[in-house]
Amino acid sequence: ATVGEDSEQRYLSEGLTGQLVTELSSHRELAIVPCRAGPCQGDSVDARTIGRELGVRYVLQGQIQSSPELFRVNVQLFDGTDGRSVWGNVFNSDRRASDLFDLQDELTQQVIGAIAGTYGILARTERPAAHSKPPENLDNLDCIFRTYAYLQDHTAETHLAARSCLESVIEKHPDYVDGLAWLAYLYADEFHHRWNEPKSREYDSRERALKLGERAVALDDSSQLAHIGLSLALSFVEGAEVRAVGEMRRAIEFNPSSHLVMTLLPNYLVLHGEYETGVALSRRAEELIAFPPVWVDFPQFVDDYVHGRFEQALERAMEGVVGDVDFREPLFRAATLGQLGRVDEAQPHLDRLGELWAELCSEADCGRLDYEPLRDELLVRQAFSEEFADRILEGLRKAGFAPS
């Protein structure tokens, strides 16, 4: 709906509607039904009526107001079954700062970033329903939302729930591209975090991730998700770093507003020395994603640390850049404090590092906490560059770390 008779306002309303439909349609877990007539006409538009007549679960409504200085877009998302407001926000843009094409693009990206994708409000809203169903009743979409739940709540438990669900789906539908791509992602993360990795010499999570990622791309080379899954799998294969970045760059061509690409690609770039581009993408992700993962700030931490801005790096590390259950969190804090010469303050973080490392390696072969095993872990399982890994270990030494 629009307010007033401003021709620019009407143009922006029509353009935004069309562009939002196009962008939302690129998220394959969503089925989009545009509504420009019938129940969507008039001053009093009821989400329940729209939901019932169009057969949709969610109804997105917007209202544009303008003044000589700015455009204000009020966007609300309703549950079409009961009319309940699920989410709402007001986006302001200075109409003097850019032409209408630029303004339309900017507003579209803000709305899409808040609603759709792996870290949007729809994924958060659907998460409880996906976990409440018994395993025998789960379908493909339930498994995708379980995967979204894992991305938003990064734990071994949510990882296992998503992986098990997708494994059962792929068993029944071996050519389901999105399922193959997400399972490749989960197997790569399984290797990365050592989560739910069976004790068996025959079981290789990296090999599984690579096989599934390559199969997904072979089945559908136009699938952004397939290239993301393959990229993550390649990032843990020795000597495949350049190809991994290339696959992620290919993925961003399909949908530049993808939450996954916006949070993963900056990590790849800064760990390969492309600091300026990586940090710019990271900041853009922070602006556009309503509920970004904690690691959205990781590229900025790496950039600050590598370039000796240790006060800024410490501020980011203390806020968290990988998650409290990850051994790298206290590692980064201790190393940064070591670089600053604040040895006493580093000790609690060294103690926490020891605890998390012991938990990590209680059933794995990563050995006791020492410089060489830690360096191997950072290079192989964390895909760090040698420069960054060695600078972190340098800080750890300055912090007074002494292997037990």
Side-chain angles (χ1 to χ4, degrees):
T2 62
V3 175
E5 297 299 325
D6 189 319
S7 61
E8 286 186 318
Q9 194 172 310
R10 286 197 300 275
Y11 169 85
L12 182 60
S13 174
E14 292 169 2
L16 266 176
T17 300
Q19 198 162 340
L20 283 170
V21 168
T22 300
E23 290 283 350
L24 286 169
S25 297
S26 70
H27 296 272
R28 299 206 282 192
E29 73 278 13
L30 303 177
I32 310 303
V33 182
C35 184
R36 295 186 176 91
C40 301
Q41 283 186 327
D43 296 329
S44 179
V45 179
D46 182 67
R48 289 169 295 184
T49 303
I50 296 173
R52 183 175 61 254
E53 294 197 16
L54 297 184
V56 295
R57 172 65 192 277
Y58 295 101
V59 177
L60 181 66
Q61 295 179 348
Q63 185 180 69
I64 297 177
Q65 297 173 308
S66 66
S67 71
E69 290 78 30
L70 58 80
F71 280 106
R72 173 169 293 162
V73 181
N74 187 343
V75 183
Q76 282 196 292
L77 186 70
F78 296 94
D79 189 319
T81 59
D82 57 16
R84 173 176 57 92
S85 176
V86 175
W87 168 86
N89 203 356
V90 175
F91 301 95
N92 293 314
S93 186
D94 187 344
R95 67 188 297 168
R96 297 167 302 181
S98 59
D99 63 29
L100 284 180
F101 288 107
D102 292 338
L103 178 59
Q104 181 177 302
D105 286 343
E106 180 66 24
L107 288 170
T108 299
Q109 294 308 315
Q110 289 184 48
V111 175
I112 293 295
I115 293 173
T118 48
Y119 302 109
I121 188 64
L122 284 174
R124 294 175 72 88
T125 303
E126 288 293 316
R127 185 168 66 185
H131 281 282
S132 64
K133 285 188 179 181
E136 62 272 15
N137 291 345
L138 292 169
D139 59 22
N140 295 3
L141 190 55
D142 291 318
C143 293
I144 298 301
F145 279 115
R146 281 196 172 201
T147 307
Y148 285 3
Y150 163 67
L151 293 170
Q152 293 176 339
D153 182 18
H154 229 48
T155 66
E157 291 73 24
T158 54
H159 173 272
L160 182 60
R163 192 196 71 185
S164 301
C165 190
L166 283 170
E167 285 174 336
S168 66
V169 163
I170 293 304
E171 205 171 295
K172 299 172 189 170
H173 309 287
D175 291 343
Y176 176 41
V177 172
D178 284 8
L180 290 167
W182 275 123
L183 198 49
Y185 186 106
L186 291 169
Y187 281 134
D189 247 21
E190 180 177 302
F191 176 80
H192 175 51
H193 291 289
R194 294 182 181 268
W195 282 340
N196 307 305
E197 213 175 16
K199 281 183 172 181
S200 169
R201 291 186 178 181
E202 290 73 38
Y203 186 98
D204 188 327
S205 49
R206 273 187 301 184
E207 187 178 294
R208 288 182 172 223
L210 187 60
K211 182 178 178 181
L212 291 172
E214 288 179 333
R215 177 163 173 72
V217 169
L219 286 169
D220 186 358
D221 187 55
S222 67
S223 165
Q224 180 187 55
L225 192 56
H227 287 283
I228 291 173
L230 178 57
S231 175
L232 195 64
L234 288 167
S235 69
F236 299 109
V237 175
E238 187 176 358
E241 297 88 352
V242 173
R243 189 180 166 203
V245 175
E247 287 292 332
M248 192 62 72
R249 288 190 189 277
R250 178 80 193 280
I252 204 170
E253 294 173 5
F254 295 106
N255 180 8
S257 65
S258 163
H259 291 181
L260 267 184
V261 176
M262 291 174 71
T263 54
L264 289 174
L265 182 56
N267 292 354
Y268 285 40
L269 295 178
V270 295
L271 290 174
H272 290 84
E274 295 187 45
Y275 301 107
E276 186 175 348
T277 305
V279 168
L281 281 173
S282 172
R283 288 176 176 156
R284 182 66 172 158
E286 283 185 311
E287 291 172 2
L288 292 180
I289 299 175
F291 307 99
V294 64
W295 60 86
V296 73
D297 217 20
F298 177 69
Q300 296 175 63
F301 167 77
V302 175
D303 182 51
D304 285 336
Y305 187 95
V306 168
H307 292 99
R309 298 187 293 269
F310 296 121
E311 290 289 355
Q312 292 96 313
L314 180 62
E315 184 177 344
R316 297 189 192 282
M318 296 306 291
E319 290 176 354
V321 291
V322 287
D324 288 336
V325 297
D326 193 308
F327 78 92
R328 293 172 298 169
E329 204 76 274
L331 171 65
F332 293 156
R333 291 167 181 171
T336 311
L337 285 164
Q339 296 285 10
L340 290 167
R342 293 155 62 174
V343 176
D344 290 344
E345 292 176 61
Q347 190 56 53
H349 303 292
L350 292 175
D351 294 340
R352 179 61 175 159
L353 170 61
E355 292 170 5
L356 291 176
W357 183 266
E359 291 176 15
L360 178 75
C361 298
S362 60
E363 298 183 2
D365 58 355
C366 44
R368 74 188 185 97
L369 182 57
D370 204 343
Y371 285 106
E372 283 308 311
L374 183 53
R375 188 175 190 271
D376 286 344
E377 191 77 13
L378 296 179
L379 294 178
V380 178
R381 299 259 180 175
Q382 309 303 323
F384 283 8
S385 65
E386 290 197 0
E387 177 192 23
F388 184 53
D390 289 339
R391 290 293 303 276
I392 288 292
L393 294 178
E394 174 190 83
L396 200 61
R397 289 188 180 91
K398 292 180 179 179
F401 171 69
S404 56

